[in-house]
Amino acid sequence: MAGGQNTEGDANLSQPAPDRTLADFGPVEKPKRNRYVLACATLASMTSVLLGYENGVMSGANIYLQDDLNISDLQVALLVGTLNLYSLVGSAAAGRTSDWIGRRYTMVMAGAFFFVGSILMGFATNYVFLMVGRFVAGVGGGYALMIAPVYTAEVSPAYSRGFLTSFQEVFNDAGILLGYLSNYAFSKFPTKLGWRFMLGIGAIPSVFLALVVLGMPESPRWLGMKGRLGDARKVLDKTSDSKEESEKRLSEIKEAAGIDPDCNDDVVKVQKQSHGKGVWKELLVDPTPFVRHILICGIGINFFEQASGIEVIVSYSPRIFEEAGITSSNGKLLATLAVGFTKTVFILVATFLLERIGRRPLLLSSVGGMVLSLTTLGFGLTMIDQSDEKLPWAVALSIAMVLAYVSFFSIGMGPITSVYSSEIFPLRLRAQGKIMGVAVNRVTGEVISTTFLMLYGAITMGGSFFVFAGIAAVAWVFFFVCLPETRTSEDMDVLYDSYIKWWSALKDKQTDALHSFTLAKKFVIFTFVEGLLSPQNLVAHNGSSGYKLRIPNVVEHT
């Protein structure tokens, strides 16, 4: 047998090696972008224009409507800030609505809400009327905020999911820029008409987006959860990089829907879902270390995105520039327009860096730049506030730092928050995890934007930005400690389990080192005391039964 094996081995060795070229030793070629997926993700993310427009346009419109309707700063703050709470209502309803009627029709509903809200605001005759319109539009924006990234994540292949999910932030920033453009374009109109056109014109893109969305395919996950496996398979074949990935994604959907993995029927009966009761228990009542970690990460990144001050920059840019020394309305709107343009340009840059550089390094660099720019902005505004004379250098510095801040935010923190929230949760927890992240994001944005004018009045504009800089610094530490890189991993359970074990091992090593140091310290003290109390070091004291301690001489022992 040995001889036979050698003969077989010699025969294999005698075969000529296949010809290889230099390309065989190069890096593995990445799959090409799927144009069909790209179109679907783009159309879905375009719904984020609605909420972005509503955020951006109010920053300039409130200057004119405050004069026209004769409302106070507190009413302005409520008008600006409550959009976050209104959008939270839409986001909370979007999960159940999208499970009921599908992702596409939920996006159509978002457009319908926004259309009605814009019309109501455009024809508002008093503050209450205006707030009702703001509420309706905010609900529509909340629907879009929730459903766009969920649809994009469900339709995208693993390789391009991060890149495509970041589109939501791109179009949100495009909406903010459109809002600023609307402010500038209609600022020449009479006061009574100008702000109404600014707010009412938003009805036009909502109609266009609602019609365009109808041409998109439905989410394969929703189709699978409804038992329409044949339709889900067709969409997956078009949106996957390979047949193997399509089958893998279909298997995951079957598992989530409780369908037999070997079932290949086009239509199957799916058991009634529990509407996430078991998921909420797994998330909040009895989470595993893995679930607890991803929940902290998802909530944390959404909290710090808003707590670091972006809502203030977007909603109160004209006031910030006025504090910096720009007094004319035209100048304030132009400077605000520069903010929107800068934000949009850098978010486009970020979409291409997400897959090349990765989430973690881009996020840490972004937040580090935010800390620096916020601190410098606070310094510039403080110098302007404390000086009796105009300081051109401080004015220029403050404007530059506002632009620097939105640049750093848009290149990392902005897009990564949405991407991270959509991809870190496993499929069974994704919808509820995303809801919790959005809820924290909206509530934090509401608190920050509503209280900013009071904070500004209490500790000055410069002091407010020092506070935001401190929050951003805490955010950097949190991200460094808690958030792993997710760019190259599709299996979040394995990734986070390894990350948790790594930190646990590090903590164990630190604990072991501290324990060893304590033992060594006790040993040294014990040895020293034992030597001092040895019989030869104890001598009788004046013939009594007592003893006194004789300190040994080092020379003696030598």
Side-chain angles (χ1 to χ4, degrees), residues 76 388 478 498:
V76 170
D388 295 330
F478 172 80
S498 301

Side-chain angles (χ1 to χ4, degrees), residues 45 101 107 110 149 152 161 175-176 226 258 395 406 441 485 510-511 515:
S45 300
I101 64 175
M107 285 185 257
T152 303
R161 190 167 296 148
I176 292 173
K226 294 298 180 181
V395 174
V406 297
N441 188 284
E485 176 58 67
Q510 291 174 339
T511 303
H515 182 61

Side-chain angles (χ1 to χ4, degrees), residues 13 44 86 109 145 160 173 195 204 220 238 307 312 325 330 351 359 361 386 396 431 455 488 496 501 523 539:
L13 292 172
Y86 301 155
M109 184 178 290
L145 179 71
S160 57
D173 285 359
W195 66 267
I204 295 176
K238 290 182 178 180
V312 168
N330 194 56
T351 59
R359 283 72 159 142
Q386 296 296 320
L455 181 67
T488 58
Y496 273 86
K501 287 179 179 178
F523 176 76
V539 296

Side-chain angles (χ1 to χ4, degrees), residues 248-270:
K248 179 183 177 182
R249 291 169 67 187
L250 184 60
S251 298
E252 292 173 351
I253 293 172
K254 287 180 182 178
E255 181 181 357
I259 300 173
D260 185 353
D262 298 325
C263 178
N264 292 314
D265 296 338
D266 287 343
V267 180
V268 298
K269 186 176 181 180
V270 180

Side-chain angles (χ1 to χ4, degrees), residues 242-315:
S242 64
K243 187 69 175 177
E244 292 74 15
E245 185 182 14
S246 175
E247 291 298 328
K248 179 183 177 182
R249 291 169 67 187
L250 184 60
S251 298
E252 292 173 351
I253 293 172
K254 287 180 182 178
E255 181 181 357
I259 300 173
D260 185 353
D262 298 325
C263 178
N264 292 314
D265 296 338
D266 287 343
V267 180
V268 298
K269 186 176 181 180
V270 180
Q271 294 181 354
K272 187 177 180 180
Q273 301 296 311
S274 63
H275 298 297
K277 292 181 181 178
V279 172
W280 286 117
K281 181 180 179 181
E282 185 178 356
L283 276 173
L284 300 176
V285 180
D286 189 25
T288 63
F290 156 67
V291 172
R292 188 183 302 114
H293 192 142
I294 61 172
L295 186 60
I296 290 172
C297 291
I299 289 176
I301 194 170
N302 276 280
F303 168 78
F304 283 117
E305 181 193 28
Q306 293 292 347
S308 56
I310 188 60
E311 195 78 22
V312 168
I313 296 292
V314 170
S315 301

Side-chain angles (χ1 to χ4, degrees), residues 105-116:
Y105 289 115
T106 302
M107 285 185 257
V108 173
M109 184 178 290
F113 270 105
F114 197 82
F115 174 82
V116 174

